[in-house]
Amino acid sequence: MSVTNDLKFLWNLVWDPEKGSKKSFDFGGAVKLYYTLAVFAFIAYVVVGSIAAYFGISVNQGTSFPASALLSLVRAVSYVALFWKGLVMFFVILPLSIAIDAFIYQLVGKTFLNMWKGTYDKTFTALVFSLFPLLLLYWLSVIPVFDALFIILAPIWSLIVLVIALSVQQKIRRLDALAVVILKSFLVLFVLVLVGLSLLSAVAYVLGSVAHNGILSFPWHNVTNAWRTMMNGTV
């Protein structure tokens, strides 16, 4: 695929997931497609974010040299932070999350539920497709008025594309794909809750042991004895 065809494919997929998700990719092809589109999403995010940061910081800007210098420094730091945040988000966190999510979906859908016989590549491809709405709309997240629209619209749109793409790639019914998505989300949440409770129990046990050994306990008996001694001496 050329870059132009990739962008055209992205546009067609987000508006017609049923037709667009029929295209098959191996793992390498899906990764290449993702990074090709992520470059454009990253550029849009940085450009729009830089413009928003510039106008937002320059509001009520003073004319004195120290204030101007400080605002310039803050603006420069904002640009660098925006760049690095986008770089890590688009080229590290998102692709890594896709790879992990695809592995979990394979465990749930293929190993445990036996919903499909397809390979990991197909599940990974479906998850790449599901991120296209997020890539298309991510630049909205840096605009204060439209960030709420992104938070609401992008996850719903991505979920719809995921269910359709997963059903097409793995050749199962949409209801079955939706069931796998829901069950996977429930299992991940359940594991996170168990891990959180285990950590809390471990912390509580450690604190309880420390308190029991008298390290964290407040020496109330020493205070009481000192008070009695003082009172007896006074009397």
Side-chain angles (χ1 to χ4, degrees):
M1 269 193 185
S2 66
V3 175
T4 304
N5 290 335
D6 287 341
L7 294 176
K8 183 179 179 180
F9 175 72
L10 164 63
W11 185 257
N12 292 332
L13 178 67
V14 295
W15 293 110
D16 189 2
E18 176 68 28
K19 181 179 179 181
S21 57
K22 291 180 180 179
K23 191 170 184 62
S24 180
F25 292 91
D26 58 13
F27 180 79
V31 170
K32 180 181 178 181
L33 176 65
Y34 168 80
Y35 277 108
T36 301
L37 300 173
V39 169
F40 291 94
F42 170 73
I43 294 173
Y45 170 77
V46 171
V47 170
V48 175
S50 298
I51 295 173
Y54 176 82
F55 284 105
I57 294 174
S58 62
V59 172
N60 297 326
Q61 180 175 339
T63 56
S64 62
F65 175 76
S68 299
L70 179 60
L71 289 171
S72 298
L73 177 61
V74 171
R75 186 179 296 119
V77 172
S78 299
Y79 293 155
V80 173
L82 185 74
F83 178 85
W84 281 108
K85 178 184 177 182
L87 199 66
V88 173
M89 176 64 67
F90 287 107
F91 300 108
V92 179
I93 295 178
L94 287 179
L96 185 61
S97 67
I98 297 173
I100 296 174
D101 263 1
F103 176 75
I104 298 174
Y105 273 113
Q106 277 295 99
L107 286 179
V108 175
K110 183 177 182 179
T111 304
F112 295 131
L113 298 180
N114 197 26
M115 286 284 194
W116 62 67
K117 303 295 182 181
T119 62
Y120 172 86
D121 294 353
K122 294 184 178 299
T123 303
F124 182 82
T125 299
L127 278 146
V128 169
F129 290 168
S130 71
L131 275 186
F132 285 3
L134 185 143
L135 295 177
L136 185 65
L137 300 174
Y138 201 85
W139 59 273
L140 290 174
S141 64
V142 296
I143 304 177
V145 179
F146 296 99
D147 56 346
L149 179 64
F150 168 78
I151 294 173
I152 296 173
L153 183 59
I156 297 175
W157 201 352
S158 293
L159 177 61
I160 293 173
V161 175
L162 174 61
V163 171
I164 296 175
L166 197 59
S167 67
V168 172
Q169 288 289 319
Q170 294 293 357
K171 297 179 173 57
I172 59 176
R173 298 181 307 167
R174 291 184 186 179
L175 286 177
D176 293 337
L178 180 60
V180 173
V181 171
I182 293 175
L183 181 59
K184 176 262 181 186
S185 301
F186 174 78
L187 289 176
V188 170
L189 179 62
F190 180 72
V191 171
L192 290 177
V193 170
L194 284 181
V195 171
L197 291 176
S198 299
L199 291 176
L200 288 176
S201 299
V203 171
Y205 176 79
V206 171
L207 293 178
S209 300
V210 172
H212 179 72
N213 292 329
I215 299 176
L216 292 180
S217 60
F218 190 82
W220 292 107
H221 60 284
N222 294 335
V223 176
T224 304
N225 292 334
W227 175 259
R228 289 176 178 174
T229 301
M230 182 180 69
M231 293 301 294
N232 292 332
T234 303
V235 175

